[in-house]
Amino acid sequence: MKSRIIPTIPETILSYNIGEKAEKLEEAASSLNMKHVPIPENKAGETVGFLAGYSGFTSNGTEISAEGECIIFSGITSKHLDQLLKAMRDRELDIPLKAVVTQHNQSQSIEWLLGELSKERAAIEKGRKNK
């Protein structure tokens, strides 16, 4: 019987356009032995999978910027995600647009992801106002 070795994905937080908040995010990430990878502003056209370092993804060479800030969680267990979110709250670090790398979004660009996250956030805010 052959055994399969499934490579583990390192616990990584990607950030886009978060400016001065990067220092607090770095503190929160390192307190939990997670890696923080800032995405250069002109890389919004690259796929999430490429930027997260997933095998099989290569740069598409698209250099564009996008509006908005977000963080993307890659390879983080739900228990560690809860701990990270608490560490962010403890540091009063508010970044409303958050995503987890999924099969659906890993082939999409950061620009696309920002658009989707913004739509979701707007729908949530609208729902809160209607209650």
Side-chain angles (χ1 to χ4, degrees):
M1 177 163 90
K2 291 184 181 180
S3 64
R4 264 185 21 195
I5 298 174
I6 300 173
T8 58
I9 299 167
E11 293 187 318
T12 305
I13 305 149
L14 300 146
S15 65
Y16 183 76
N17 245 3
I18 65 169
E20 295 175 4
K21 297 176 184 178
E23 188 175 325
K24 287 184 179 182
L25 182 59
E26 183 70 38
E27 288 173 10
S30 63
S31 74
L32 297 165
N33 296 319
M34 295 178 187
K35 183 178 172 184
H36 170 229
V37 178
I39 300 167
E41 185 181 349
N42 68 342
K43 297 297 181 187
E46 294 286 0
T47 64
V48 171
F50 168 71
L51 294 168
Y54 285 23
S55 64
F57 288 89
T58 58
S59 173
N60 59 24
T62 305
E63 291 197 7
I64 59 170
S65 297
E67 291 292 318
E69 63 180 25
C70 74
I71 55 176
I72 306 163
F73 308 112
S74 174
I76 300 175
T77 65
S78 60
K79 180 181 177 181
H80 286 170
L81 183 57
D82 289 342
Q83 291 172 344
L84 175 63
L85 294 173
K86 181 183 181 320
M88 289 173 62
R89 281 191 303 275
D90 291 347
R91 289 167 175 78
E92 298 179 359
L93 178 57
D94 182 36
I95 302 170
L97 302 183
K98 300 174 188 73
V100 174
V101 179
T102 65
Q103 270 190 318
H104 177 67
N105 69 19
Q106 67 186 353
S107 298
Q108 302 295 332
S109 69
I110 295 298
E111 179 184 41
W112 175 88
L113 183 61
L114 279 166
E116 290 298 303
L117 293 173
S118 295
K119 287 179 203 173
E120 288 176 9
R121 187 71 182 182
I124 290 168
E125 293 301 322
K126 183 178 179 183
R128 286 183 183 161
K129 288 179 183 177
N130 290 336
K131 283 189 175 183

